[in-house]
Amino acid sequence: MRKVKADNERTLRHEMWRRYAGNDWAAFDALPAAIRQRVAAHAYDAWSVNVMMLWQHYRRLYGRTTRAERALIRYLDYCERLEREAFASRYSETYGTVLPHDAACVSVLR
């Protein structure tokens, strides 16, 4: 009998990041609208609990302002670029060719 995993994560993200436990939907609902929109547009599951923890950090730094929201969105963009680069690197190592999206010079479908 096959061993069933607790989630459907099949990427190398678990090697890059730590996923914090919590209620993803409650965390998502508590985020400001601009950040919720960015999380929803993230190419991968942005792990809402992690984003909520980051939002709390940015709120302490900047207060509950649009500056804090923009800073967090920039950081999420940066994290997404890191994930994409890591995925492209792993793809290249595994298959010996460039990631098709990179070869075609197109963005990832969201």
Side-chain angles (χ1 to χ4, degrees):
M1 186 180 241
R2 238 174 29 157
K3 187 175 181 180
V4 178
K5 284 189 166 187
D7 63 17
N8 65 354
E9 186 68 49
R10 301 289 186 267
T11 65
L12 56 100
R13 295 181 78 212
H14 64 280
E15 297 172 16
M16 296 177 63
W17 314 111
R18 175 179 174 200
R19 184 173 189 167
Y20 291 95
N23 184 329
D24 282 323
W25 286 111
F28 182 82
D29 289 341
L31 294 168
I35 296 173
R36 282 196 313 264
Q37 184 177 9
R38 178 60 186 93
V39 167
H42 201 278
Y44 311 100
D45 177 5
W47 296 342
S48 297
V49 174
N50 289 31
V51 176
M52 174 53 87
M53 293 177 75
L54 287 168
W55 171 238
Q56 291 168 348
H57 170 73
Y58 278 90
R59 234 180 26 208
R60 281 191 300 272
L61 287 176
Y62 302 108
R64 192 177 192 96
T65 63
T66 56
R67 182 177 176 203
E69 291 178 16
R70 286 193 314 268
L72 178 52
I73 289 169
R74 276 193 310 274
Y75 185 72
L76 292 173
D77 291 343
Y78 170 71
C79 290
E80 187 176 50
R81 281 192 310 273
L82 288 177
E83 290 176 1
R84 179 160 160 86
E85 289 169 7
F87 182 76
S89 174
R90 177 71 60 93
Y91 185 92
S92 180
E93 290 171 9
T94 303
Y95 300 104
T97 186
V98 178
L99 183 68
H101 281 82
D102 290 344
C105 299
V106 297
S107 64
V108 174
L109 297 175
R110 298 178 193 264

